[in-house]
Every structure is written in structure tokens, then in C-alpha cells.
Amino acid sequence: MTIPVVHQSPRNPRAAIENRRTFDAAGVVCVNLTGAAGTGKTSLLEAILPRIRDKLRVGVITSDLATTRDAQRLAPLGVPVVQLLTDGACHLRADHVRHALAEMPLHELELLLIENVGSLVCQARNDLGEHARVALLSATGGDGAATKHPAAFATAALILLTKCDLLGHVEFDVEQTLNRLRRVNPYAEIVYTDTRKRVGIDRVAGWLLGYVRAHHVERTSRARASEPVPVPT
Ligand code: MG
Ligand code: ZN
């Protein structure tokens, strides 16, 4: 199986706007998964893709500093996968994604999931042209993530507390974390997940399906509203 591998591209400050237009023109909803290294972004995709791929045509752009390991894990799941390599950069930029879109059969898709680089340092201020963000924090990553990277959680539509089976075994103040998350983002849905025991996986899959459906309903009604009103003759 050959997986397309794409490296960094020249800077393009308009790439986020161009990506969004490209997604909208192709009728694709784009969701950006962010989370520090080891929060389980790839594992989450491995658990979720088999649940949604029969209901939704989905593709994945995965990213890494230098390795193609994530793409190799995801490609056997039978969805189009492109591996983006940032060559050491700690986040994706919209122009990286734009570059990868050339390898993605966008017109065949309804949902494009982007697995961002494992870091939260500058993900929040890098608009990729996505429609929504999902932010992960894990029980093993410590309970400081919400305090250290508030913007990452403030801009998320869905927040996942991953590896929740380990809560109780690690130093992690759940109540304080939930309070912090609620303070920076009162609107996001928060879901506990554990990919090994399949906790929360159906809810996340359902959230994605619902999000794509709602997006299409909104687009269709917007398109209808802009149609000229027929004049009676
Ligand atoms: Mg990964
Ligand atoms: Zn960065």
C-alpha cells in the first residue's frame, strides 16, 4: 500500500481562506483534531473510522514531524489517508494542508479529518480552514493542559478527556479540569473516552455524523434562501 507523503510547502497567508472555499465547493466538512503528543489522536481515529466509514465518506490527513507511522496505522482501515510531514515544525499551517489536499480525492468525501501535530503550543492560532476543532487532553498528560493551553480548548467544539480508564490511577484532578474547561469554553461538549474499553467512542462517532449532517442542512437551506423567488405570471 503506498501512502501519499507530502512535505512542507511555501508560505501562503491566504491558504486558510482558500482551503475553506475548496471544502465548501466540494461539499466537505473539515474537522481538525488537536492534542499534545500521546493524547491518543491516532488511536481515536483507529476506533472511530470503522464506526463512521459506512455512513459517511471520510478521508484523513495525518501529520507528524518526521515519521509516517500514523498513516501506516490508519491506511489499513480502508479510507483515503495522506501523511503530512512538517520536517520538525510543531504545528500544521493551512498551506501544508493545502498542499496535501492535492493528494486527497476531495470530491468523493463528505468529511475530512485532520490529525494535527502532537502539541498544543500554537495549534489554536493556526487556522487550517477547518469547520470545527476537536481538542484532546489525556488522563496521563496531567491536569495542567487546560491551564497551559486555554486557547486550544476555547476554540474547540468538542473536547475529549482521553484514556479515562486511567483516572484514579494517575495524578489528575477531574473536577478542577472540568471547571477550567468550562471557564474557557462553556459551549463545547465534553466526552470521556477510552479506546481500549471503547468508552465514549459511539458518542464521538455520533457527534461527527451529527455535525456533518447539520452542516449540510445549513448549506442547503442557505442555498435555497439565495435562490430567486419565482415571479407568478
Ligand atoms: Mg498520532
Ligand atoms: Zn507550533
Side-chain angles (χ1 to χ4, degrees):
M1 186 176 335
T2 48
I3 299 160
V5 177
V6 174
H7 288 261
Q8 290 231 38
S9 56
R11 280 187 184 268
N12 169 4
R14 290 186 47 81
I17 295 166
E18 290 171 5
N19 285 351
R20 208 166 349 252
R21 281 194 191 138
T22 302
F23 297 141
D24 289 340
V28 174
V29 175
C30 178
V31 174
N32 176 9
L33 296 183
T34 64
T39 45
K41 296 180 292 301
T42 314
S43 302
L44 182 82
L45 287 170
E46 278 178 316
I48 288 204
L49 288 171
R51 310 264 171 135
I52 60 173
R53 70 184 167 198
D54 300 331
K55 302 184 182 88
L56 206 58
R57 285 165 289 142
V58 55
V60 180
I61 294 176
T62 185
S63 61
D64 196 77
L65 307 179
T67 78
T68 61
R69 276 207 327 234
D70 289 350
Q72 276 159 6
R73 283 170 64 186
L74 299 174
L77 298 174
V79 304
V81 176
V82 176
Q83 174 74 59
L84 246 173
L85 297 181
T86 63
D87 304 323
C90 64
H91 60 273
L92 284 182
R93 293 197 318 262
D95 40 52
H96 299 147
V97 172
R98 188 131 197 87
H99 203 36
L101 291 182
E103 301 292 335
M104 194 44 86
L106 215 53
H107 284 272
E108 293 167 18
L109 302 183
E110 293 162 287
L111 172 66
L112 176 67
L113 295 168
I114 300 178
E115 180 185 346
N116 215 312
V117 180
S119 162
L120 283 179
V121 177
C122 27
Q123 318 308 42
R125 64 181 135 86
N126 278 285
D127 180 9
L128 305 180
E130 75 272 39
H131 297 102
R133 284 180 185 166
V134 176
L136 283 69
L137 76 166
S138 75
T140 50
D143 53 16
T147 316
K148 285 185 208 148
H149 307 291
F153 297 99
T155 57
L158 175 67
I159 296 172
L160 305 182
L161 176 49
T162 63
K163 306 188 182 180
C164 69
D165 55 322
L166 297 173
L167 292 171
H169 302 280
V170 291
E171 206 65 43
F172 193 103
D173 190 328
V174 180
E175 204 182 307
Q176 205 176 75
T177 299
L178 291 179
N179 286 339
R180 280 182 197 137
L181 289 172
R182 278 283 157 252
R183 220 172 300 138
V184 297
N185 188 338
Y187 306 107
E189 194 170 330
I190 300 175
V191 178
Y192 288 52
T193 65
D194 167 38
T195 50
R196 287 186 302 175
K197 292 188 185 132
R198 312 229 145 236
V199 177
I201 300 305
D202 284 336
R203 249 185 94 184
V204 178
W207 187 92
L208 285 169
L209 292 169
Y211 186 80
V212 172
R213 215 167 291 139
H215 191 87
H216 284 299
V217 169
E218 194 195 325
R219 264 167 59 90
T220 316
S221 52
R222 225 186 298 135
R224 281 216 194 97
S226 65
E227 273 171 18
V229 179
V231 182
T233 48

